[in-house]
Each structure stands twice: as C-alpha cells, then as structure tokens.
Amino acid sequence: MTKNTSTDPVPLLQDLVRCRSVTPDEGGALTLLENLLSTHGFTCHRLIFKAEGTPDVENLFARIGTTGPHLCFAGHTDVVPPGREEDWSHPPFAADIDGDFLYGRGATDMKGSVAAFAAAVIDHLKSTGKPGGSMSFLITGDEEGPAINGTVKVLEWMRANGHMPDHCLVGEPSCVEKLGDTIKIGRRGSLSFVVTAEGRQGHVAYPHKADNPIPKMARLITRISEATLDSGNAHFDPSTLAVTTIDVGNPAGNVIPSRVTAKFNIRFNTEHSHQSLRDWVSSEIEAVKAEQGGIWSVTSHEGADAFLTEPGAFVGLVQDAVARETGILPRLSTSGGTSDARFIKDYCPVLEFGPTNATIHMTDERISVEELRATKAIYGAILEAYFNNQP
C-alpha cells in the first residue's frame, strides 16, 4: 500500500493539552482519543472503575487486530494541577506554540508521547493497511492520582477479556539530556515506614525521673542512615534510605515528651524485597531496644516492587530503533520514581521510552515541536521493526 501524507502529532497534542484532564477528571482527552482511534479501525472500550473512598476514574482500552504479536502502548492523559496559572508565561491549557516550543500542562508528561504514538500508529496503518498482529492503547486517567482505579484494573479487565499483550511500551518521558539518551527497563521499589518509640514524660529539671524517647529514636535514625543496604548491581544503583520527618508533638521547652515518631522511605533495587527490608528494620529496632529500651511500634506501606525487564530481543529492538532515528545508542536505566510499568511487569515484558523530562510537573511545562515529531518518528521505527521482526 502506498504511504499517505504523514500525520503531524503537533495539532493532536494541542487538542489533548486543551483538555483540562487534571486527575481524576477525564476532561475530554479520552473522548478525543477514542474518536480518533475509532476512525482508524480500533475497537474502543471506555472503562470506568470505582472503589470506596476514591474518585471514579475513566480509562480507555483500544485495540486493532485479533492475533499476535500484540504490542500495547500504555500511557495516561491525566495531569497534575498547574499551580498558579498566572505564573505561567503561556496559559497551561492553551497549548500555545512559542518559537519551537509547545507549552502546556501534560505536554511532556505525557500527552506528548500519547500524541506521538497515535500519529505513528495512524501512519503505520496507512502504510501497511494492517498491523501484522495487534496494536493496542491502554490509556488511564489515574496515573498521577492514587493509581487504584486505572491501569491496575484495566489490566485485570484485559486479562479477563483475552487482550493480554506480548510486550508493552510505556510512553513516560524517559530521556534526560537529549531525545534518545535513555530507555527505562526497570524501576526501584519503594517502601515507607512509620516508627514510634515511647518512653515516660517528665520535667527537664529531673531527667532521671523520665524516660526520654528522643535519644532512642536518634540512635535508630543514625544506625539506619549510616547503613549500606547494598552496593547496587549490574542494572541498579545502590538502594537508598531517606528520613522524612521526626516529630514529638511537643510545644513546651521544659517537658520531656513521652513519644516520638519518625518516618522514612527506602528506594530499593532487586537485591531486596519488601519483606527483607521489613525484617532489616525490625532487627535495627531490636538492636536499639536492647541498648536503650523503650516501647516500639512500626508500620510500613508498600509503594512498589523493584523490577527489571532483562535486556533481550524486545529491549534490543527498541534500542536499535532509537539509535537509527537519533544516532544515539540509549543507555538502559532503572532510575527515577515509579510509573504504571510497575503494574504491567506482572503481565508482560515492559519498558519505558519517551521525550526528555526536564520540565515535567513544572510551571511552563513544554516540549520542542521538533522533539515531538522526532518522538513520533522513533515510535514509527519501533512499530515497523516490531511487526516485521517480532522479538
């Protein structure tokens, strides 16, 4: 089939940015995508999920093709609030173009990737007439929010309805300095702790009659802050621990408090699990308790598992496609916070590639028009390679 006129992602991104889809509001962004993809042969499903105590969330799953190989593009159209709109040089939902830059909330995180991939898919279908397998979009409105009624539940629906992909590409803005410099093949895990030490309240003039819990907590904080959790491994930097607060709730300067609470977070690599880290924290508390006593309690919250998509055919295919389009061989990274890839990794191999992330969540978030079109070209190269040489 003869290739038709190239689809420009710029006007599509402008339309998406003008949708005020601040989490959890859909803002018209999913409707826009649904109409576009339906026009090009996709079967679309609008999926609304609810949970007690959380807002209802609209999501979109769209697929063309019924056979394998099946490549899924995952992303989100919800955005963080813009903050004080008067601080922006261009209105955050106007999608103004100034020079080479398109300004707006979500321009890079991550409506830019959504627009670029959609444009690449449309051109691929114009060129081939069919995907040579299946292509799908998993687009959530809950990535920037609690992440309860979004990707997690869409994946469950996909599995129940026979839509499991062979591979998934998440369009998070992965590049650091220049488009093409980084592919994310994994993410660190996250585990948060709240630890409380209790003693006995008393007058500061008679400290021997009290049992001050603050030195006990200080000892624990010193121990865990100075500990080396690991030395990293081939794909991950060393795990890190950050103390975020120590609180006694004591407004008086002449009273020894009876209780102190500390909070800290561990970002960990594949050398650890949530349970192994809970065990380690417990052992550190027991060591301080043996030294200084006190009544201790601890709770933890699991943020995400550490995971890695091992370098192989799929990673190599994407890496080669990026290198062909940019002249840069992207490094394989596991840095950064969390993304919805942490849910997808339980279903299929997943990696993340998208534009540079210099302005995400910032005032005057923006993307270069040239970079947006180049991102579309990279996604097009990935599609061509995937369906001509399935990994």
Side-chain angles (χ1 to χ4, degrees):
M1 181 175 290
T2 303
K3 200 169 215 177
N4 292 312
T5 304
S6 177
T7 303
D8 189 357
V10 174
L12 175 55
L13 177 55
Q14 288 182 294
D15 288 343
L16 286 170
V17 168
R18 289 167 183 150
C19 297
R20 290 177 172 263
S21 52
V22 177
T23 308
D25 293 334
E26 184 267 337
L30 294 180
T31 299
L32 191 157
L33 281 175
E34 180 180 6
N35 291 339
L36 175 68
L37 295 174
S38 296
T39 299
H40 291 278
F42 281 80
T43 300
C44 296
H45 304 269
R46 286 291 284 275
L47 305 170
I48 301 174
F49 295 113
K50 309 176 181 181
E52 185 175 353
T54 62
D56 298 353
V57 173
E58 294 191 53
N59 306 277
L60 172 67
F61 177 75
R63 180 175 179 175
I64 188 169
T66 57
T67 62
H70 178 183
L71 176 64
C72 178
F73 175 84
H76 62 93
T77 52
D78 64 314
V79 299
V80 296
R84 286 169 27 111
E85 296 197 15
E86 58 267 33
D87 291 338
W88 289 65
S89 61
H90 298 271
F93 298 104
D96 289 341
I97 295 176
D98 186 353
D100 184 48
F101 288 95
L102 192 161
Y103 288 77
R105 177 58 83 221
T108 52
D109 189 13
M110 60 171 284
K111 291 179 177 179
S113 297
V114 173
F117 198 84
V121 163
I122 291 169
D123 279 1
H124 184 83
L125 293 173
K126 287 179 180 179
S127 175
T128 64
K130 58 182 179 179
S134 296
M135 293 185 292
S136 65
F137 286 78
L138 189 176
I139 309 296
T140 182
D142 193 31
E143 198 274 346
E144 301 288 7
I148 293 172
N149 296 319
T151 296
V152 172
K153 292 184 178 179
V154 177
L155 286 165
E156 293 172 353
W157 180 91
M158 289 167 62
R159 180 167 56 187
N161 289 275
H163 291 297
M164 277 293 93
D166 296 297
H167 300 89
C168 185
L169 176 65
V170 180
E172 287 290 345
S174 62
C175 298
V176 181
E177 301 290 339
K178 191 173 183 179
L179 179 66
D181 64 15
T182 306
I183 295 171
K184 297 286 182 71
I185 60 170
R187 293 278 188 161
R188 297 178 299 172
S190 175
L191 183 60
S192 296
F193 288 88
V194 179
V195 178
T196 299
E198 296 189 38
R200 185 171 61 255
Q201 190 181 67
H203 196 293
V204 295
Y206 305 98
H208 59 286
K209 294 183 178 181
D211 182 14
N212 194 338
I214 296 177
K216 308 177 199 299
M217 185 63 74
R219 177 62 177 145
L220 175 67
I221 295 303
T222 298
R223 286 180 65 100
I224 63 176
S225 296
E226 293 180 348
T228 299
L229 293 169
D230 57 73
S231 300
N233 56 34
H235 295 291
F236 285 87
D237 291 334
S239 301
T240 60
L241 183 150
V243 179
T244 57
T245 184
I246 301 174
D247 183 33
V248 295
N250 181 19
N254 60 350
V255 176
I256 294 170
S258 62
R259 178 183 291 107
V260 58
T261 297
K263 297 179 181 180
F264 55 92
N265 176 268
I266 301 175
R267 294 299 170 104
F268 62 94
N269 58 36
T270 50
E271 300 297 308
H272 304 278
S273 67
H274 288 119
Q275 188 57 52
S276 70
L277 290 170
R278 280 194 291 264
D279 291 343
W280 174 71
V281 170
S282 294
S283 69
E284 291 296 301
I285 291 172
E286 287 301 315
V288 175
K289 184 177 180 180
E291 292 176 2
Q292 301 189 18
I295 299 172
W296 295 79
S297 62
V298 57
T299 60
S300 61
H301 173 72
E302 298 181 4
D305 291 317
F307 75 93
L308 176 72
T309 297
E310 291 285 350
F314 179 51
V315 174
L317 182 151
V318 174
Q319 199 172 25
D320 290 345
V322 173
R324 283 196 304 273
E325 291 297 320
T326 65
I328 300 171
L329 183 65
R331 70 185 185 97
L332 305 179
S333 171
T334 56
S335 64
T338 60
S339 77
D340 278 359
R342 71 189 189 273
F343 307 126
I344 299 166
K345 53 88 176 171
D346 294 329
Y347 294 84
C348 69
V350 58
L351 55 80
E352 301 171 52
F353 179 79
T356 52
N357 55 27
T359 64
I360 60 174
H361 291 207
M362 291 184 177
T363 300
D364 280 346
E365 181 178 352
R366 60 196 178 274
I367 188 170
S368 159
V369 169
E370 179 182 2
E371 182 178 4
L372 178 62
R373 289 172 176 152
T375 302
K376 177 222 166 178
I378 293 170
Y379 287 154
I382 292 170
L383 289 168
E384 183 176 356
Y386 188 88
F387 290 106
N388 289 336
N389 183 27
Q390 200 271 327

